[in-house]
Amino acid sequence: MNMFIDTTRKKSKAFAEKRASRLLSLLLIVAVAGGLVACDQFDLGEAQPTGSVSLPQTVSSQSGFEGLLNSAYDRLQDPGRYGERWMLVPEALTDNAAIAASGGNRYPSEVANVARTHLQGYGGIYSTINEMNVVLDNIGGFTPQVQNPQALKNRIRGEARFLRALAYFDLVRLYSYMPGTIDGRNREPGGFDLGVPISLEPTLSAADAEDLPRSENTAVYDQVVDDFDAADSLLAGNAAAPSAPNRTTAAAAAGMLSRVHLYLTNWQQAEAAATRAINLTGAEVVDSRSGGFEDTWRTSSYPGSIFELTMTRGQDATGANGNSLQDLTFFTDPNNDDEASNFAYQLVTSADVRSIFASNDARQSLFATDPDGSVYIEKYNGSIAPFTDRIPLLRVAELYLNRAEARAQQNNPSGAQSDLNYIRVRRGLSRVSPTGQALVDEILEERRREFLFEGKRLFTLKRYARDIPKPQGTFAGGVSIDFDGPLSERRLVLPPLPQNAIQSNPALEQNPGY
């Protein structure tokens, strides 16, 4: 029997965030239907499940460790994370998205950049961190009954280090500024350099919980780099390593590391990590010169994915409930019996972002117009089942653009142009040869085109300390949000930490302006 541990995400969000802020993720393991199922954080005021087994029992079996890993992967699929909001909110908060002509009540506040309307995930992300701490703290004492036990243990360690790195990376890039300067611009307005609390030890009871302060952003990024580096080493050449793209691999770890080094302006390291990931992966940039580019977005697994979330029909944020990517971005005709009626459709591409696509750009084939005249994008179209899509979190195209950017910033225009044009040519565009700042800007614009509605735009602007353009609607009497301006605008770049987290942890400092 396939035994696994899964995560329940139906409990009190307020309690989860409060406990997670204190780095408390109580680990109860319950026996369900003949298999082991891990229960995620839940309200201790509720009736407790029966038939629970102890933590020592959980970490004495391979299925127990696999279950903790599965819990972390599963949490990434939640609509509050990459299942919806982490893919769409960074587009809505910037210049990439607008509200459909038919309107809607899901994303108007994000498009209008209303204060406190932002990405979230503090409690759930710390739950993942704690689970991975449990894995890493206990895997050394486990002896699996397999032919190559060390390879299996290294694979589990590698996945756990990757998932913890991704968790801390998402926390620090969301709730904190990137450290230092870029192109002469200060990336820490007001000198605010706090990251998030760091804990590398499991918290198993209320007595273990500590009121930890926020570490400096540089310290958090150091931990992220260390974890991704370790994941790469543990998974590279490992016969027990999982297959891409729905589990992490050495290529995924190196690719994510290239992204992190871009955030840190570590250009040489970013270039090296991108090159390593390109050499490790079997994925290729989709070549759309012969047409059919839109068809690649209708397959059950995107051909250029290095790491993606594989959703399951009937589970994983599916169903016509307004919580799937297809629900919110893809128009379906209620009068067409061959299409599911979509009541929540409302987030469409802005006229501004469409203006940067040339007429011969293959990616134009992803744009479609609804009867009201709104232009939506067909990336999330129910590729697996109605309201169920695979979600690419790392595509090989990013590696070439990461390396292009790193090379441009190191004054290597020919190398940067080569990588940039590798993408452009495969999208049906001509080669270009800009240099200097024009080359950097061209790479960032290509990134905007390639990853439209994939949750990257806000972070690109943030790491370059650039104002947030809002041409699809004025903001505060203007057309942009000042990155380093008055606090009333500057605070919109960072979301507030959850209030119950602040109240429960006296050592936790709130973000400026909240």
Side-chain angles (χ1 to χ4, degrees), residues 446-474:
E446 189 64 32
R447 185 184 294 276
R448 188 183 178 195
R449 283 189 287 264
E450 181 68 20
F451 301 113
L452 181 61
F453 274 44
E454 294 183 55
K456 300 190 188 306
R457 179 61 173 163
L458 176 67
F459 296 106
T460 297
L461 294 170
K462 183 176 176 180
R463 65 189 178 87
Y464 269 86
R466 295 186 178 181
D467 295 348
I468 299 175
K470 298 298 296 187
Q472 74 274 47
T474 60

Side-chain angles (χ1 to χ4, degrees), residues 1 53 70 84 145 160 184 194 212 292 342 344 365 395 406 408 474 478 509:
M1 178 182 296
V53 293
N70 288 342
E84 179 209 319
Q145 300 303 307
L194 292 184
L212 295 178
N342 190 330
S365 64
R395 297 198 280 120
T474 60
E509 182 176 336

Side-chain angles (χ1 to χ4, degrees), residues 50 88 155 196 221 244 251 254 263 271 292 303 313 327 348 357 457:
T50 59
L88 300 183
R155 189 266 292 171
V196 295
Y221 276 106
Y263 278 56
E271 178 183 1
R313 181 171 185 164
D327 261 324
V348 298
F357 287 82
R457 179 61 173 163

Side-chain angles (χ1 to χ4, degrees), residues 257-258 261-262 266-275 402-403 406:
L257 195 58
S258 76
H261 281 308
L262 284 188
N266 294 337
W267 309 120
Q268 184 176 0
Q269 294 96 316
E271 178 183 1
T275 299
N402 287 357
R403 191 168 67 177

Side-chain angles (χ1 to χ4, degrees), residues 22 24 117 156 249 273 381 404 451:
R22 296 167 63 89
L24 170 60
T117 302
I156 291 172
T249 61
N381 46 58
F451 301 113

